[in-house]
């Protein structure tokens, strides 16, 4: 009788092959090269979103204690702390600058500086594919992260968004960090940093210049924000001293004038230097019969944000086209 060996008796078993999406080739190389930055973005997104979710719960507890959504007191909004909401808004406002400086500027400039670009493009990878892969993966990570943060912040802010005692909806703290605006601003500074880095070819110098660029974008954008909406004009001819136009809830006043029966406008400070007893006579002498007020209604917020985001995304697309044009000619 013959006996079977252990090898014959036991069939050879192999570990099941892993299935699922896996990065390979140039995609794997780009992810591995910048994995520290990508995981930092993902981790900070999770932590910040979790903190805002917790703070939103605290805010709702405070509001419900005051009878929200139908508070019993008129000054209920003065009894609720807005510190966490303000901190969230200010913190998110730094994201476009940080992403532009620490992710965008060195993304390609670092490879140009240390020679990695020449090594990669000397292989089977074309310049265009290398640039496209770097931009695509980075833009995807940044876009998803900022979209999540903007969505959570919008949800956090939504119960009190139409009350100026918290955050004004036309301020950069609120307007630029909710809806599509945070993503659009961040992508613009990110791609701007990449373009600056490609031109300067030095990481540190590119980061310094990108910082100035990102700050300038924030400042310039603040001057054009109110021009994104369609203003509404409210007039009254019921006098000046005893009446004043009543604006809709959460409306933002742009300007105010005195008006005559013929429609002529005077600045709101007209006759302000006159003694109180002579103010009415001064107004009557000029024929002033009422007020005119230009304002932005709260209902304009969403359309203003999408219009502003479309402008920024168009500028981002133009910078992207420049990056590919420059990369095909002068990348190495």
């Amino acid at each position: 009788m013959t006996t079977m060996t252990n090898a014959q008796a036991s069939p050879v078993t192999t570990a099941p092959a892993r299935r699922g999406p896996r990065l390979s080739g140039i995609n794997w190389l780009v992810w591995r090269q910048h994995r520290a930055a990508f995981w930092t973005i993902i981790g900070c997104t999770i932590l910040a979103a979790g903190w805002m979710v917790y703070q939103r719960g605290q805010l709702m507890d405070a509001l419900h204690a005051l009878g929200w959504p139908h508070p019993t007191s008129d000054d209920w909004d003065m009894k609720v702390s807005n510190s966490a909401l303000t901190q969230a808004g200010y913190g998110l406002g730094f994201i476009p600058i940080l992403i532009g400086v620490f992710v965008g500027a060195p993304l390609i400039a670092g490879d140009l500086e240390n020679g990695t670009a020449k090594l990669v493009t000397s292989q089977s990878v074309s310049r265009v594919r290398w640039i496209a892969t770097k931009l695509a993966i980075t833009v995807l990570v940044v876009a998803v992260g900022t979209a999540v943060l903007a969505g959570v912040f919008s949800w956090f802010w939504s119960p009190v968004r139409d009350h100026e005692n918290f955050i004004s909806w036309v301020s950069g703290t609120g307007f630029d960090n909710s809806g599509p605006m945070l993503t659009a601003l961040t992508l613009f500074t990110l791609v701007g940093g990449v373009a600056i880095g490609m031109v300067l070819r030095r990481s540190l110098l590119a980061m310094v210049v990108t910082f100035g660029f990102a700050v300038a974008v924030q400042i310039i954008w603040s001057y054009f924000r109110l021009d994104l909406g369609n203003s509404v004009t409210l007039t009254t001819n019921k006098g000046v001293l005893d009446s004043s136009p009543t604006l809709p809830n959460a409306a933002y006043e742009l300007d105010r004038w005195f008006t005559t029966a013929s429609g002529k406008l005077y600045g709101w400070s007209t006759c302000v230097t006159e003694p109180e007893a002579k103010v009415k006579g001064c107004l009557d002498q000029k024929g002033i019969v009422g007020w005119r007020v230009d304002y932005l209604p709260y209902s304009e917020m969403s359309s203003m944000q999408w219009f502003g985001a479309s402008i920024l995304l168009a500028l981002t697309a133009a910078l992207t086209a420049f990056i590919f044009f420059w990369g095909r000619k002068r990348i190495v």
Side-chain angles (χ1 to χ4, degrees):
M1 179 182 294
T2 60
T3 60
M4 297 178 65
T5 64
N6 290 336
Q8 293 172 322
S10 300
V12 177
T13 59
T14 58
R18 291 184 179 181
R19 294 183 179 181
R22 297 176 63 185
L23 294 177
S24 61
I26 187 65
N27 297 320
W28 175 85
L29 178 63
V30 170
W31 178 270
R32 182 171 179 80
Q33 183 182 15
H34 301 286
R35 64 187 183 279
F38 294 155
W39 282 116
T40 299
I41 293 172
I42 294 171
C44 290
T45 298
I46 294 173
L47 291 176
W51 181 80
M52 286 190 287
V53 169
Y54 170 77
Q55 292 297 336
R56 210 261 188 181
Q58 299 292 101
L59 173 64
M60 294 307 300
D61 289 343
L63 291 175
H64 287 310
L66 295 171
W68 190 87
H70 304 292
T72 55
S73 62
D74 294 334
D75 61 343
W76 65 270
D77 51 347
M78 303 298 294
K79 301 176 182 179
V80 180
S81 173
N82 66 345
S83 59
L85 186 61
T86 303
Q87 291 171 9
Y90 284 145
L92 294 180
F94 286 104
I95 289 179
I97 298 175
L98 295 176
I99 292 295
V101 172
F102 293 102
V103 179
L107 186 69
I108 293 179
D111 291 348
L112 295 173
E113 187 174 12
N114 58 33
T116 304
K118 182 176 292 187
L119 175 63
V120 172
T121 56
S122 64
Q123 307 300 315
S124 59
V125 179
S126 67
R127 299 174 181 179
V128 172
R129 184 186 174 193
W130 175 65
I131 295 173
T133 304
K134 282 215 160 199
L135 275 179
I137 294 177
T138 306
V139 165
L140 178 62
V141 172
V142 171
V144 171
T146 52
V148 169
L149 291 177
V152 175
F153 177 76
S154 299
W155 177 64
F156 181 14
W157 184 28
S158 60
V160 294
R161 187 162 56 184
D162 57 347
H163 293 273
E164 291 186 1
N165 287 333
F166 293 89
I167 295 178
S168 173
W169 67 270
V170 296
S171 68
T173 307
F175 187 91
D176 292 344
N177 295 325
S178 58
M181 285 303 305
L182 181 62
T183 300
L185 272 170
T186 305
L187 291 181
F188 182 54
T189 56
L190 167 68
V191 177
V194 173
I196 292 171
M198 288 185 65
V199 173
L200 298 181
R201 306 172 69 92
R202 295 291 183 270
S203 295
L204 183 58
L205 178 59
M207 292 170 71
V208 173
V209 175
T210 301
F211 175 79
F213 166 76
V215 171
V217 167
Q218 297 276 27
I219 294 174
I220 295 172
W221 183 252
S222 67
Y223 283 102
F224 289 97
R225 186 183 302 117
L226 297 180
D227 295 330
L228 298 172
N230 297 314
S231 63
V232 177
T233 298
L234 177 65
T235 60
T236 176
N237 59 359
K238 297 180 179 180
V240 174
L241 299 179
D242 300 325
S243 67
S244 179
T246 301
L247 301 182
N249 182 45
Y252 179 78
E253 184 176 312
L254 296 172
D255 210 342
R256 178 177 295 220
W257 297 273
F258 292 135
T259 181
T260 66
S262 64
K264 184 177 180 180
L265 301 178
Y266 288 91
W268 65 269
S269 59
T270 300
C271 298
V272 73
T273 58
E274 296 290 331
E276 184 176 354
K278 297 182 178 181
V279 170
K280 187 177 186 307
C282 175
L283 296 175
D284 292 340
Q285 182 181 5
K286 296 180 181 298
I288 293 173
V289 297
W291 298 86
R292 168 178 164 168
V293 180
D294 289 348
Y295 68 93
L296 286 172
Y298 173 67
S299 58
E300 283 285 297
M301 180 179 179
S302 179
S303 60
M304 289 171 63
Q305 286 184 318
W306 282 105
F307 181 40
S310 65
I311 294 174
L312 289 170
L313 292 176
L315 294 174
T316 301
L319 283 175
T320 303
F322 168 79
I323 288 173
F324 282 104
F325 172 79
W326 188 275
R328 291 184 63 183
K329 303 294 183 180
R330 311 182 185 184
I331 194 62
V332 293

